[in-house]
Amino acid sequence: MKRYSIPVMAAALAILVSPACADNAENNSESQAPQFIRTSNGASFETDFTVAAEKTVNAVVCIKSYATRQQNPYGNQGGYDPFGMFDFFFGGPQQRQQQPRQQPRNSEPVQSGLGSGVILSEDGYIVTNNHVVEGADKLEVLLNDNSTYEARVIGTDEATDLALIKIDAEKLSPITFGDSESLKVGEWVLAVGNPFGFNSTVTAGIVSAKARNLSQNTRNGKMGIESFIQTDAALNPGNSGGALVNLKGELIGINSAIYSNTGSYSGFSFAIPTTIVKKVMTDLKQYGTVQRAVLGCAVAELDSKIAKEKNITAVKSGLIVSTVADRSTAKELGLQADDVITAINNVEVHNYAQLVEQINKFRPGDKISVTYYRDNRKETKTGILKNTQGNTSITKKGDFTEIGCAFMKLSEETKRSLGISNGVKVAGLKNGAFREAGIKDGFIITEINGRAVNSSDDVEAIYNNIMKADDDKVMFITGLYPTGKKYYYAVNLAGE
């Protein structure tokens, strides 16, 4: 017994003493550790995505586009970037390879692309990307319960790459809109769509960045209005037009593009925020076209070099004004060159994409406040937004018939006698834009806005491009009468 008493007592003493020793050691360690080191115990977030997924899958549809003639299934956007950097993910390499080289005349439409859409209302309104529906002769919508409907296009907007379509259905499961402005970088999001035709596929990721401008990666900035939500949720061809939702299952973006060297997901994807989606969908449903307001000034993003040159010390970011357009909101507000815009309606704008997003929440005629710095002093002024025409009039959906005439193809003999290689003849002139411009029956159009025309389809295509653009709605026409005398006309398509 004596032989073991010392070890046992020593062990007991060690047990009693150990906690105190540990506390002392910990205290000593803390006293020696740098003060900025912090530790945390326990999970700091939840990663259960089931509720959000259940709320979303029935609101996302598969959209198949069909064409009766050989087309680029990626629309005018060009699909795969020639530099392999930036792709609109509509369809995929597999669909593209399956396209026949030539379609027989009067053939049945064949599938030319695959995308996704999001149900907005119980009666069948659906939002998707413009490049999903562009150039399609027929659209087929497949719901999550496998029911199929044919869709019609209500309106499209190339500048935001959004489109509104409609199916004749009732009691659908519309999605709930969320607020993309309250979204935070690092927040979990889910993407729901139909990659490679796999219906109702859900992927997860986080918000990597907000108000991302991709003009430097797109085709000469043709995309137009850009202020993307960047995520790392895995997206692939076929996801285009699908939903990006928060963990409440609320829509915060429409998936539109991926950054890729291969045409498939490489770590970055981009969605159009609901601040823009909601406004564009409302306009397309109500007016058939987007009511787009402009501030009316050219700006550049403020950086340290510009700030040093202009002696700007009050702010480190914002949009510095370079020129101000006449008859614009900026002109009425009194904005001048070298003013630095920092907020719209008290929402801070640090870069061009953020400014674009804020302005595109409004229509011509809406009142906004603009906060800016002049000579390092802060100022805020309120004004009424205008459109590109310098007024607040409602823009109506273009109708080619408003031109007020028909176009006849010229015979080769007529072309030779007049010494021209192309042209169309104005016929059946009646009340409309052409008559108002002074054009008479028999006038031969050779060019419109610098583009040669040779058929009625050529004229209509130019007309549609003019009506979609944000520039002045004017046709500058070059041509001649059968006498050989050359004339120039400017045809106003704005209606006012």
Side-chain angles (χ1 to χ4, degrees):
M1 290 294 293
K2 289 181 181 178
R3 187 180 303 172
Y4 295 102
S5 62
I6 294 176
V8 170
M9 289 181 65
L13 184 60
I15 292 172
L16 292 174
V17 173
S18 292
C21 292
D23 285 345
N24 289 336
E26 184 176 334
N27 291 336
N28 291 336
S29 175
E30 288 181 356
S31 64
Q32 295 174 1
Q35 295 303 309
F36 56 79
I37 294 179
R38 297 181 181 180
T39 59
S40 176
N41 294 321
S44 59
F45 57 84
E46 297 264 343
T47 55
D48 184 359
F49 306 140
T50 57
V51 173
E54 288 172 358
K55 287 183 176 180
T56 308
V57 290
N58 290 321
V60 176
V61 302
C62 178
I63 301 176
K64 298 177 182 179
S65 66
Y66 294 82
T68 55
R69 59 188 182 277
Q70 179 65 19
Q71 299 185 36
N72 176 1
Y74 301 91
N76 291 337
Q77 299 293 352
Y80 283 28
D81 187 277
F83 298 102
M85 296 289 286
F86 180 81
D87 296 323
F88 290 95
F89 43 98
F90 175 48
Q94 295 163 337
Q95 281 97 353
R96 180 172 59 179
Q97 291 167 1
Q98 291 170 1
Q99 295 298 312
R101 293 185 179 275
Q102 292 183 342
Q103 298 290 346
R105 292 182 180 180
N106 302 320
S107 63
E108 286 295 318
V110 295
Q111 186 176 338
S112 58
L114 180 73
S116 304
V118 182
I119 299 173
L120 300 179
S121 65
E122 291 184 353
D123 58 348
Y125 283 96
I126 296 170
V127 58
T128 185
N129 286 140
N130 175 64
H131 69 266
V132 169
V133 304
E134 189 173 28
D137 297 317
K138 175 185 173 184
L139 294 173
E140 188 176 270
V141 172
L142 175 68
L143 304 187
N144 193 43
D145 62 2
N146 289 326
S147 55
T148 303
Y149 298 85
E150 191 165 329
R152 66 182 186 276
V153 177
I154 302 300
T156 62
D157 183 45
E158 186 178 2
T160 55
D161 192 30
L162 290 171
L164 179 65
I165 64 175
K166 175 82 165 60
I167 61 175
D168 293 326
E170 296 179 351
K171 297 181 180 180
L172 300 180
S173 302
I175 202 158
T176 301
F177 268 77
D179 182 9
S180 58
E181 285 193 348
S182 65
L183 199 64
K184 296 180 179 179
V185 174
E187 186 174 335
W188 282 99
V189 289
L190 300 183
V192 185
N194 306 281
F196 301 114
F198 295 109
N199 291 351
S200 304
T201 296
V202 181
T203 56
I206 62 167
V207 176
S208 305
K210 294 177 62 179
R212 181 70 77 194
N213 189 323
L214 301 175
S215 291
Q216 64 270 25
N217 297 320
T218 57
R219 288 154 285 281
N220 299 319
K222 186 181 177 181
M223 177 67 183
I225 295 172
E226 297 185 10
S227 183
F228 289 108
I229 300 168
Q230 179 182 326
T231 79
D232 65 352
L235 300 174
N236 283 290
N239 272 113
S240 189
L244 187 71
V245 300
N246 58 24
L247 292 192
K248 297 178 183 178
E250 298 171 336
L251 183 72
I252 46 89
I254 295 297
N255 298 317
S256 183
I258 57 176
Y259 188 83
S260 175
N261 292 319
T262 63
S264 297
Y265 176 71
S266 295
F268 297 109
S269 52
F270 302 91
I272 305 162
T274 53
T275 50
I276 292 177
V277 175
K278 189 183 298 184
K279 161 46 168 69
V280 172
M281 291 302 103
T282 301
D283 282 356
L284 291 179
K285 183 178 180 182
Q286 187 170 350
Y287 306 106
T289 187
V290 177
Q291 306 302 311
R292 186 155 289 128
V294 295
L295 190 55
C297 58
V299 297
E301 293 183 7
L302 182 67
D303 57 26
S304 58
K305 182 179 179 181
I306 296 174
K308 186 175 181 180
E309 290 175 355
K310 303 291 185 180
N311 193 30
I312 299 171
T313 58
V315 288
K316 295 182 178 179
S317 64
L319 289 307
I320 185 167
V321 176
S322 57
T323 58
V324 177
D326 291 337
R327 301 178 61 210
S328 67
T329 305
K331 188 81 170 180
E332 290 190 357
L333 290 172
L335 291 180
Q336 300 175 7
D338 296 342
D339 287 347
V340 181
I341 300 171
T342 57
I344 302 293
N345 278 12
N346 298 318
V347 177
E348 292 185 358
V349 290
H350 299 285
N351 55 47
Y352 182 72
Q354 290 176 336
L355 176 65
V356 166
E357 183 175 349
Q358 291 307 312
I359 294 297
N360 277 276
K361 290 163 54 178
F362 305 101
R363 297 183 181 92
D366 289 343
K367 182 183 289 187
I368 65 162
S369 66
V370 178
T371 301
Y372 61 94
Y373 283 80
R374 178 179 296 169
D375 298 328
N376 293 314
R377 291 193 301 271
K378 185 177 180 181
E379 297 187 33
T380 300
K381 290 187 178 180
T382 302
I384 303 297
L385 283 172
K386 298 182 179 182
N387 57 28
T388 55
Q389 307 299 314
N391 58 51
T392 58
S393 299
I394 295 296
T395 302
K396 298 179 181 178
K397 186 177 181 180
D399 184 351
F400 186 54
T401 60
E402 73 172 325
I403 283 178
C405 67
F407 301 96
M408 295 177 60
K409 193 170 183 178
L410 295 180
S411 66
E412 292 301 321
E413 183 180 346
T414 301
K415 291 179 185 177
R416 281 195 301 270
S417 66
L418 293 173
I420 57 177
S421 57
N422 61 276
V424 291
K425 186 177 181 179
V426 174
L429 193 68
K430 57 185 180 181
N431 290 334
F434 270 38
R435 174 172 282 180
E436 290 175 3
I439 297 175
K440 297 179 175 62
D441 263 324
F443 181 68
I444 297 170
I445 302 172
T446 56
E447 287 185 359
I448 301 178
N449 290 11
R451 288 177 54 184
V453 295
N454 213 28
S455 67
S456 178
D457 288 343
D458 291 342
V459 179
E460 186 171 3
I462 295 172
Y463 171 88
N464 290 334
N465 288 335
I466 291 172
M467 298 308 292
K468 286 180 180 179
D470 294 330
D471 301 328
D472 292 339
K473 305 292 189 290
V474 179
M475 277 185 170
F476 295 102
I477 295 178
T478 302
L480 68 165
Y481 284 97
T483 59
K485 191 171 182 180
K486 201 167 187 179
Y487 276 84
Y488 302 90
Y489 292 99
V491 179
N492 180 23
L493 302 176
E496 293 188 9

